Coordinates of all heavy atoms in Angstrom, one line a residue:
M24 N 0.8 -1.2 0.0 CA 0.0 0.0 0.0 C 0.9 1.2 0.0 O 1.9 1.3 0.7 CB -0.9 0.0 1.2 CG -1.9 1.1 1.3 SD -3.1 0.9 2.6 CE -3.6 2.5 2.8
E25 N 0.5 2.2 -0.7 CA 1.2 3.5 -0.9 C 1.2 4.3 0.4 O 0.1 4.3 1.1 CB 0.6 4.3 -2.0 CG 1.4 5.5 -2.5 CD 0.8 6.1 -3.7 OE1 -0.3 5.9 -4.1 OE2 1.5 6.9 -4.3
A26 N 2.3 4.9 0.8 CA 2.3 5.7 2.0 C 1.3 6.9 1.9 O 1.1 7.5 0.9 CB 3.7 6.3 2.2
P27 N 0.7 7.2 3.1 CA -0.4 8.3 3.1 C 0.1 9.6 2.5 O -0.6 10.3 1.8 CB -0.7 8.4 4.5 CG -0.3 7.1 5.2 CD 0.8 6.6 4.4
Q28 N 1.4 10.0 2.8 CA 1.8 11.3 2.3 C 1.9 11.3 0.8 O 1.7 12.4 0.2 CB 3.1 11.7 3.0 CG 4.3 10.8 2.8 CD 4.5 9.7 3.8 OE1 3.5 9.3 4.4 NE2 5.7 9.3 4.0
Y29 N 2.2 10.2 0.2 CA 2.3 10.1 -1.3 C 0.9 10.2 -1.9 O 0.7 10.8 -2.9 CB 3.0 8.9 -1.7 CG 4.5 8.9 -1.3 CD1 5.0 7.8 -0.6 CD2 5.3 10.0 -1.7 CE1 6.4 7.9 -0.3 CE2 6.7 10.0 -1.3 CZ 7.2 8.9 -0.6 OH 8.5 8.9 -0.2
V30 N 0.0 9.5 -1.2 CA -1.4 9.6 -1.7 C -1.9 11.0 -1.6 O -2.5 11.6 -2.5 CB -2.3 8.6 -1.0 CG1 -3.8 8.8 -1.4 CG2 -1.8 7.2 -1.1
A31 N -1.7 11.7 -0.5 CA -2.1 13.1 -0.3 C -1.5 14.0 -1.3 O -2.2 14.8 -1.9 CB -1.8 13.5 1.1
A32 N -0.2 13.8 -1.6 CA 0.5 14.6 -2.6 C -0.1 14.4 -4.0 O -0.3 15.4 -4.7 CB 2.0 14.4 -2.6
R33 N -0.4 13.2 -4.3 CA -1.0 12.8 -5.6 C -2.4 13.5 -5.7 O -2.7 14.0 -6.8 CB -1.1 11.3 -5.7 CG -1.4 10.8 -7.1 CD -1.0 9.3 -7.3 NE -1.3 8.5 -6.2 CZ -2.4 7.9 -5.9 NH1 -3.5 8.0 -6.7 NH2 -2.6 7.1 -4.9
V34 N -3.2 13.4 -4.7 CA -4.5 14.1 -4.7 C -4.4 15.6 -4.8 O -5.1 16.2 -5.7 CB -5.3 13.7 -3.5 CG1 -6.6 14.5 -3.4 CG2 -5.6 12.2 -3.5
Q35 N -3.5 16.2 -4.1 CA -3.3 17.7 -4.2 C -2.9 18.1 -5.6 O -3.3 19.1 -6.1 CB -2.3 18.1 -3.1 CG -2.9 18.3 -1.8 CD -1.9 18.9 -0.8 OE1 -0.8 18.4 -0.6 NE2 -2.4 19.8 0.0
Q36 N -2.0 17.3 -6.2 CA -1.5 17.6 -7.5 C -2.7 17.5 -8.5 O -2.9 18.3 -9.4 CB -0.4 16.6 -7.9 CG 0.1 16.9 -9.3 CD 1.3 16.0 -9.7 OE1 1.7 15.1 -8.9 NE2 1.8 16.2 -10.9
A37 N -3.5 16.5 -8.3 CA -4.7 16.3 -9.2 C -5.7 17.5 -9.1 O -6.2 18.0 -10.0 CB -5.4 15.0 -8.9
L38 N -5.9 17.9 -7.8 CA -6.8 19.1 -7.6 C -6.3 20.3 -8.2 O -7.0 21.2 -8.7 CB -7.0 19.3 -6.1 CG -7.7 18.1 -5.3 CD1 -7.7 18.5 -3.8 CD2 -9.0 17.8 -5.9
A39 N -4.9 20.5 -8.3 CA -4.3 21.7 -8.9 C -4.3 21.6 -10.4 O -4.5 22.6 -11.1 CB -2.9 21.8 -8.3
E40 N -4.1 20.4 -11.0 CA -3.9 20.3 -12.4 C -5.2 19.9 -13.2 O -5.2 20.1 -14.4 CB -2.8 19.2 -12.7 CG -1.5 19.7 -12.1 CD -0.3 18.7 -12.3 OE1 -0.6 17.6 -12.8 OE2 0.8 19.0 -12.0
D41 N -6.2 19.3 -12.5 CA -7.3 18.8 -13.3 C -8.1 20.1 -13.8 O -8.3 21.1 -13.1 CB -8.3 18.1 -12.3 CG -9.4 17.3 -13.1 OD1 -10.3 18.0 -13.5 OD2 -9.3 16.1 -13.2
G42 N -8.5 20.0 -15.1 CA -9.2 21.1 -15.7 C -10.5 21.4 -15.1 O -11.0 22.5 -15.3
R43 N -11.1 20.6 -14.3 CA -12.4 20.9 -13.6 C -12.2 21.7 -12.4 O -13.1 22.3 -11.9 CB -13.1 19.6 -13.3 CG -13.5 18.8 -14.5 CD -14.0 17.4 -14.1 NE -12.8 16.6 -13.7 CZ -12.9 15.4 -13.2 NH1 -14.0 14.8 -13.1 NH2 -11.8 14.7 -12.9
T44 N -11.0 21.6 -11.8 CA -10.8 22.2 -10.5 C -9.8 23.4 -10.4 O -10.1 24.5 -10.0 CB -10.4 21.1 -9.4 OG1 -9.3 20.4 -9.9 CG2 -11.6 20.2 -9.2
H45 N -8.6 23.1 -10.8 CA -7.5 24.1 -10.7 C -7.4 24.8 -9.3 O -7.4 26.0 -9.2 CB -7.6 25.2 -11.8 CG -7.4 24.7 -13.2 ND1 -6.2 24.2 -13.6 CD2 -8.3 24.6 -14.2 CE1 -6.3 23.8 -14.8 NE2 -7.6 24.0 -15.2
E46 N -7.4 24.0 -8.3 CA -7.4 24.6 -6.9 C -6.0 24.2 -6.2 O -5.6 23.1 -6.2 CB -8.5 24.0 -6.0 CG -9.9 24.5 -6.3 CD -10.1 25.9 -5.8 OE1 -9.3 26.4 -5.0 OE2 -11.0 26.5 -6.3
L47 N -5.4 25.3 -5.7 CA -4.1 25.1 -5.0 C -4.2 25.1 -3.5 O -3.4 24.6 -2.8 CB -3.1 26.2 -5.5 CG -2.8 26.2 -6.9 CD1 -1.9 27.5 -7.2 CD2 -2.0 25.0 -7.3
G48 N -5.3 25.7 -3.0 CA -5.4 26.0 -1.5 C -6.1 24.9 -0.8 O -6.6 25.2 0.3
I49 N -6.3 23.7 -1.3 CA -7.0 22.7 -0.6 C -6.1 21.8 0.2 O -5.1 21.3 -0.4 CB -7.9 21.9 -1.6 CG1 -8.9 22.8 -2.3 CG2 -8.7 20.8 -0.8 CD1 -9.8 23.6 -1.4
R50 N -6.3 21.6 1.5 CA -5.5 20.7 2.3 C -6.1 19.3 2.2 O -7.3 19.1 2.3 CB -5.4 21.2 3.7 CG -4.3 20.5 4.5 CD -4.1 21.2 5.8 NE -5.2 20.7 6.7 CZ -6.0 21.6 7.4 NH1 -5.9 22.9 7.2 NH2 -6.9 21.1 8.2
V51 N -5.2 18.3 2.0 CA -5.6 16.9 1.9 C -4.9 16.2 3.1 O -3.7 16.2 3.2 CB -5.1 16.3 0.6 CG1 -5.5 14.8 0.5 CG2 -5.8 17.0 -0.6
D52 N -5.7 15.5 3.9 CA -5.2 14.7 5.0 C -5.7 13.3 4.9 O -6.8 13.1 4.5 CB -5.6 15.3 6.4 CG -5.1 16.7 6.7 OD1 -3.9 16.9 6.5 OD2 -5.9 17.6 7.1
I53 N -4.8 12.4 5.2 CA -5.2 11.0 5.1 C -5.0 10.3 6.5 O -3.9 10.5 7.1 CB -4.4 10.2 4.0 CG1 -4.6 10.9 2.7 CG2 -4.7 8.7 4.0 CD1 -4.6 10.2 1.5
R54 N -6.0 9.6 6.9 CA -5.9 8.9 8.2 C -6.5 7.5 8.0 O -7.7 7.4 7.8 CB -6.6 9.6 9.3 CG -6.0 10.9 9.6 CD -6.5 11.5 10.9 NE -5.9 12.8 11.1 CZ -6.5 13.9 11.3 NH1 -7.8 13.9 11.4 NH2 -5.9 15.0 11.5
G55 N -5.7 6.5 7.9 CA -6.2 5.2 7.6 C -6.8 5.1 6.2 O -6.1 5.4 5.2
D56 N -8.0 4.7 6.1 CA -8.7 4.6 4.8 C -9.6 5.8 4.6 O -10.5 5.8 3.8 CB -9.5 3.3 4.7 CG -10.6 3.2 5.7 OD1 -10.7 4.0 6.6 OD2 -11.5 2.3 5.5
Q57 N -9.4 6.9 5.4 CA -10.2 8.1 5.3 C -9.3 9.3 4.7 O -8.2 9.5 5.1 CB -10.6 8.6 6.7 CG -11.3 7.5 7.5 CD -12.6 7.0 7.0 OE1 -13.5 7.8 6.7 NE2 -12.7 5.7 6.7
L58 N -9.9 10.0 3.7 CA -9.3 11.1 3.1 C -10.1 12.4 3.4 O -11.3 12.4 3.2 CB -9.2 10.9 1.6 CG -8.5 12.0 0.7 CD1 -7.9 11.3 -0.5 CD2 -9.4 13.1 0.3
F59 N -9.5 13.4 3.9 CA -10.2 14.6 4.3 C -9.7 15.8 3.4 O -8.5 16.0 3.3 CB -9.9 15.0 5.8 CG -10.4 13.9 6.8 CD1 -9.6 12.8 7.1 CD2 -11.6 14.0 7.3 CE1 -10.1 11.9 8.0 CE2 -12.1 13.1 8.2 CZ -11.3 12.0 8.5
L60 N -10.7 16.5 2.9 CA -10.5 17.7 2.1 C -10.9 18.9 2.9 O -12.0 18.9 3.4 CB -11.3 17.7 0.8 CG -11.0 16.6 -0.2 CD1 -11.9 16.7 -1.4 CD2 -9.5 16.6 -0.7
R61 N -10.0 19.9 3.1 CA -10.3 21.0 3.9 C -9.8 22.3 3.1 O -8.8 22.2 2.5 CB -9.6 20.9 5.2 CG -10.2 19.8 6.1 CD -9.6 19.8 7.5 NE -10.1 18.7 8.3 CZ -9.5 17.6 8.6 NH1 -8.3 17.4 8.1 NH2 -10.1 16.7 9.3
G62 N -10.5 23.3 3.3 CA -10.2 24.6 2.6 C -11.4 25.4 2.4 O -12.5 25.1 2.9
Q63 N -11.3 26.4 1.5 CA -12.5 27.2 1.1 C -12.5 27.4 -0.4 O -11.5 27.6 -1.0 CB -12.3 28.6 1.8 CG -12.4 28.6 3.3 CD -12.3 29.9 3.9 OE1 -11.8 30.9 3.3 NE2 -12.8 30.1 5.1
V64 N -13.7 27.4 -0.9 CA -14.0 27.7 -2.3 C -15.2 28.6 -2.4 O -15.9 28.9 -1.4 CB -14.2 26.4 -3.2 CG1 -13.0 25.5 -3.2 CG2 -15.4 25.7 -2.6
S65 N -15.4 29.2 -3.6 CA -16.4 30.2 -3.8 C -17.8 29.6 -4.3 O -18.7 30.4 -4.5 CB -15.9 31.3 -4.7 OG -15.7 30.8 -6.0
G66 N -17.9 28.3 -4.5 CA -19.1 27.8 -4.9 C -19.4 26.3 -4.6 O -18.4 25.6 -4.5
V67 N -20.6 26.0 -4.5 CA -21.0 24.6 -4.2 C -20.5 23.6 -5.3 O -20.0 22.5 -5.0 CB -22.5 24.5 -3.9 CG1 -22.9 23.0 -3.8 CG2 -22.9 25.3 -2.8
E68 N -20.6 24.1 -6.5 CA -20.2 23.2 -7.6 C -18.7 22.9 -7.6 O -18.3 21.8 -7.8 CB -20.6 23.9 -9.0 CG -22.0 24.1 -9.2 CD -22.5 25.4 -8.6 OE1 -21.7 26.2 -8.1 OE2 -23.8 25.6 -8.5
Q69 N -17.9 23.9 -7.3 CA -16.5 23.7 -7.1 C -16.2 22.7 -6.0 O -15.3 21.8 -6.2 CB -15.7 25.0 -6.9 CG -14.2 24.9 -6.9 CD -13.6 24.5 -8.1 OE1 -14.2 24.0 -9.1 NE2 -12.3 24.7 -8.2
R70 N -16.9 22.8 -4.9 CA -16.7 21.9 -3.8 C -17.0 20.5 -4.2 O -16.2 19.6 -3.9 CB -17.6 22.3 -2.6 CG -17.6 21.4 -1.4 CD -18.6 21.9 -0.4 NE -18.5 21.2 0.8 CZ -19.1 20.0 1.1 NH1 -19.9 19.5 0.2 NH2 -18.9 19.4 2.3
E71 N -18.1 20.3 -5.0 CA -18.5 18.9 -5.4 C -17.4 18.4 -6.4 O -17.1 17.2 -6.4 CB -19.9 19.0 -6.0 CG -20.9 19.2 -5.0 CD -22.3 19.5 -5.6 OE1 -22.4 19.4 -6.8 OE2 -23.2 19.7 -4.8
R72 N -17.0 19.3 -7.3 CA -15.9 18.8 -8.3 C -14.7 18.4 -7.6 O -14.1 17.4 -8.0 CB -15.6 19.9 -9.3 CG -16.7 20.1 -10.3 CD -16.3 21.1 -11.4 NE -16.0 22.4 -10.9 CZ -16.9 23.4 -11.0 NH1 -18.1 23.2 -11.5 NH2 -16.6 24.6 -10.5
L73 N -14.3 19.1 -6.5 CA -13.1 18.7 -5.8 C -13.2 17.3 -5.2 O -12.3 16.5 -5.2 CB -12.8 19.7 -4.7 CG -12.2 21.1 -5.3 CD1 -12.4 22.2 -4.3 CD2 -10.8 21.0 -5.8
G74 N -14.4 17.1 -4.6 CA -14.7 15.8 -4.0 C -14.6 14.7 -5.0 O -14.1 13.6 -4.8
Q75 N -15.2 15.0 -6.2 CA -15.2 14.0 -7.3 C -13.8 13.6 -7.8 O -13.4 12.5 -8.0 CB -16.0 14.5 -8.5 CG -16.1 13.5 -9.6 CD -17.0 14.1 -10.7 OE1 -17.4 15.3 -10.7 NE2 -17.2 13.3 -11.7
V76 N -13.0 14.7 -8.0 CA -11.6 14.4 -8.4 C -10.8 13.6 -7.4 O -10.1 12.7 -7.7 CB -10.9 15.8 -8.7 CG1 -9.4 15.6 -9.0 CG2 -11.5 16.4 -10.0
A77 N -11.0 14.0 -6.1 CA -10.3 13.2 -5.0 C -10.7 11.8 -5.0 O -9.9 10.9 -4.9 CB -10.6 13.9 -3.7
H78 N -12.0 11.5 -5.2 CA -12.5 10.1 -5.3 C -11.9 9.4 -6.5 O -11.5 8.2 -6.4 CB -14.0 10.1 -5.3 CG -14.5 8.7 -5.4 ND1 -14.4 7.8 -4.4 CD2 -15.1 8.1 -6.4 CE1 -15.0 6.7 -4.8 NE2 -15.4 6.8 -6.0
E79 N -11.8 10.1 -7.6 CA -11.3 9.4 -8.8 C -9.8 9.1 -8.6 O -9.3 8.0 -9.1 CB -11.4 10.3 -10.0 CG -12.9 10.5 -10.5 CD -13.0 11.6 -11.5 OE1 -12.0 12.1 -12.0 OE2 -14.2 11.8 -11.9
V80 N -9.0 9.9 -7.9 CA -7.6 9.7 -7.8 C -7.3 8.6 -6.7 O -6.4 7.8 -6.8 CB -6.9 11.0 -7.4 CG1 -5.4 10.8 -7.0 CG2 -7.0 12.0 -8.5
A81 N -8.2 8.6 -5.7 CA -8.0 7.6 -4.6 C -9.3 6.9 -4.3 O -9.9 7.1 -3.2 CB -7.5 8.4 -3.3
P82 N -9.8 6.1 -5.2 CA -11.1 5.4 -5.0 C -11.1 4.4 -3.9 O -12.2 4.1 -3.4 CB -11.3 4.7 -6.4 CG -9.9 4.5 -6.9 CD -9.1 5.7 -6.5
E83 N -10.0 4.0 -3.4 CA -9.9 3.1 -2.3 C -10.2 3.7 -0.9 O -10.4 3.1 0.1 CB -8.6 2.3 -2.3 CG -7.4 3.2 -1.9 CD -6.8 4.1 -3.0 OE1 -7.4 4.1 -4.1 OE2 -5.8 4.7 -2.7
L84 N -10.2 5.1 -0.9 CA -10.4 5.8 0.3 C -11.8 6.4 0.4 O -12.4 6.7 -0.6 CB -9.3 6.9 0.4 CG -7.9 6.5 0.4 CD1 -7.0 7.7 0.5 CD2 -7.6 5.6 1.6
H85 N -12.3 6.6 1.6 CA -13.5 7.2 1.9 C -13.3 8.7 2.0 O -12.6 9.2 2.9 CB -14.2 6.7 3.1 CG -15.5 7.3 3.4 ND1 -16.7 7.0 2.7 CD2 -15.9 8.2 4.3 CE1 -17.7 7.7 3.1 NE2 -17.2 8.5 4.1
V86 N -13.9 9.5 1.1 CA -13.6 11.0 1.0 C -14.6 11.7 1.9 O -15.8 11.5 1.8 CB -13.7 11.5 -0.4 CG1 -13.5 13.0 -0.5 CG2 -12.7 10.8 -1.3
H87 N -14.0 12.5 2.8 CA -14.8 13.4 3.6 C -14.5 14.9 3.1 O -13.5 15.4 3.3 CB -14.3 13.4 5.1 CG -14.5 12.0 5.7 ND1 -15.7 11.6 6.3 CD2 -13.7 10.9 5.8 CE1 -15.6 10.4 6.7 NE2 -14.4 9.9 6.4
N88 N -15.5 15.4 2.5 CA -15.4 16.7 1.9 C -15.8 17.8 2.9 O -17.0 18.1 3.1 CB -16.2 16.8 0.6 CG -15.9 18.1 -0.2 OD1 -15.4 19.0 0.3 ND2 -16.3 18.0 -1.5
E89 N -14.8 18.3 3.6 CA -15.0 19.3 4.6 C -14.7 20.7 4.1 O -14.4 21.6 4.9 CB -14.2 19.0 5.9 CG -14.6 17.7 6.5 CD -13.8 17.3 7.7 OE1 -12.8 18.0 8.0 OE2 -14.2 16.2 8.3
I90 N -14.8 20.9 2.8 CA -14.5 22.2 2.2 C -15.6 23.2 2.5 O -16.8 22.8 2.3 CB -14.2 22.1 0.7 CG1 -13.0 21.2 0.5 CG2 -14.1 23.5 0.0 CD1 -12.7 20.8 -0.9
N91 N -15.3 24.4 2.9 CA -16.3 25.4 3.2 C -16.6 26.3 1.9 O -15.6 26.6 1.2 CB -15.9 26.4 4.3 CG -15.8 25.6 5.6 OD1 -16.7 24.9 6.0 ND2 -14.8 25.9 6.4
V92 N -17.8 26.6 1.7 CA -18.2 27.5 0.6 C -18.3 28.9 1.2 O -19.1 29.1 2.1 CB -19.5 27.0 -0.1 CG1 -19.9 28.0 -1.2 CG2 -19.3 25.6 -0.7
V93 N -17.5 29.8 0.7 CA -17.6 31.2 1.1 C -18.3 32.1 0.1 O -18.1 31.8 -1.1 CB -16.3 31.8 1.5 CG1 -15.7 31.1 2.7 CG2 -15.3 31.7 0.3
E94 N -19.1 33.0 0.5 CA -19.9 33.8 -0.4 C -19.0 35.0 -0.8 O -18.5 35.8 0.0 CB -21.2 34.3 0.3 CG -22.1 35.0 -0.6 CD -22.8 34.0 -1.6 OE1 -23.0 32.9 -1.3 OE2 -23.1 34.5 -2.7
A95 N -18.8 35.1 -2.1 CA -18.0 36.3 -2.6 C -19.0 37.4 -3.0 O -19.9 37.2 -3.8 CB -17.2 35.9 -3.9
T96 N -18.9 38.5 -2.4 CA -19.8 39.6 -2.6 C -19.1 40.7 -3.4 O -17.9 40.8 -3.4 CB -20.4 40.2 -1.3 OG1 -19.3 40.7 -0.5 CG2 -21.1 39.1 -0.5
A97 N -19.9 41.6 -4.0 CA -19.4 42.7 -4.7 C -18.8 43.7 -3.7 O -19.2 43.8 -2.6 CB -20.5 43.4 -5.5
P98 N -17.7 44.4 -4.1 CA -17.1 45.3 -3.2 C -18.1 46.5 -2.9 O -19.0 46.8 -3.6 CB -15.9 45.9 -4.0 CG -16.1 45.5 -5.4 CD -17.1 44.3 -5.4
G99 N -17.9 47.0 -1.7 CA -18.7 48.1 -1.2 C -18.4 49.4 -1.9 O -17.7 49.4 -2.9
E100 N -18.8 50.5 -1.3 CA -18.5 51.8 -2.0 C -17.0 52.1 -1.8 O -16.3 51.6 -1.0 CB -19.4 52.9 -1.3 CG -19.3 53.0 0.1 CD -20.2 54.0 0.7 OE1 -21.4 53.7 0.7 OE2 -19.8 55.1 1.2
D101 N -16.6 53.0 -2.6 CA -15.2 53.4 -2.6 C -14.8 54.1 -1.3 O -15.6 54.9 -0.8 CB -14.9 54.4 -3.8 CG -15.0 53.7 -5.2 OD1 -14.9 52.5 -5.2 OD2 -15.1 54.5 -6.2
E102 N -13.6 53.9 -0.9 CA -13.1 54.6 0.3 C -12.3 55.8 -0.2 O -11.4 55.6 -1.0 CB -12.2 53.6 1.1 CG -11.6 54.3 2.3 CD -10.7 53.3 3.1 OE1 -10.6 52.2 2.7 OE2 -10.2 53.8 4.1
H103 N -12.6 56.9 0.3 CA -11.9 58.2 -0.1 C -10.9 58.6 1.1 O -11.4 58.8 2.2 CB -12.9 59.3 -0.4 CG -13.8 58.9 -1.6 ND1 -13.3 59.0 -2.9 CD2 -15.0 58.5 -1.6 CE1 -14.3 58.6 -3.7 NE2 -15.4 58.3 -2.9
L104 N -9.7 58.7 0.7 CA -8.7 59.2 1.7 C -8.4 60.7 1.5 O -8.1 61.1 0.4 CB -7.4 58.4 1.6 CG -7.6 56.9 1.8 CD1 -6.3 56.1 1.5 CD2 -8.1 56.5 3.2
D105 N -8.5 61.4 2.5 CA -8.2 62.9 2.4 C -6.8 63.2 2.7 O -6.1 62.6 3.5 CB -9.1 63.7 3.3 CG -10.6 63.5 2.8 OD1 -10.8 63.5 1.6 OD2 -11.5 63.5 3.7

């Protein structure tokens, strides 16, 4: 069986390089047969895609998608400095 740190690195590389995701800021932790995804993204669809890619790369592990979806809002009014 492949060492957990190598599996985590392989999943992180896939999340960064896969055309569906292109995410660099997702943390991947492996404990036994459990894979945990942690971080923040701006949409539910992106969160789901990340879980799907992780499952495709490591189908033998149970994926726990703990990625938070943060709401990106439009900037407020301009700040004027005197």
Side-chain angles (χ1 to χ4, degrees):
M24 184 169 157
E25 192 174 14
Q28 62 268 29
Y29 294 125
V30 176
R33 194 164 35 89
V34 171
Q35 281 185 310
Q36 181 177 4
L38 297 178
E40 295 178 355
D41 191 287
R43 296 169 287 176
T44 54
H45 293 296
E46 284 288 343
L47 297 173
I49 302 302
R50 195 170 75 236
V51 178
D52 296 314
I53 304 213
R54 295 193 182 126
D56 66 347
Q57 310 292 307
L58 184 151
F59 296 87
L60 297 176
R61 296 185 178 105
Q63 295 181 338
V64 296
S65 61
V67 174
E68 298 84 10
Q69 181 70 344
R70 178 183 186 273
E71 291 172 0
R72 284 190 296 263
L73 288 162
Q75 181 180 7
V76 170
H78 177 70
E79 290 171 4
V80 174
E83 70 281 4
L84 300 177
H85 180 73
V86 176
H87 297 273
N88 192 338
E89 298 179 353
I90 296 171
N91 293 317
V92 176
V93 294
E94 191 69 33
T96 60
E100 58 185 68
D101 293 342
E102 179 180 0
H103 298 284
L104 301 175
D105 295 323

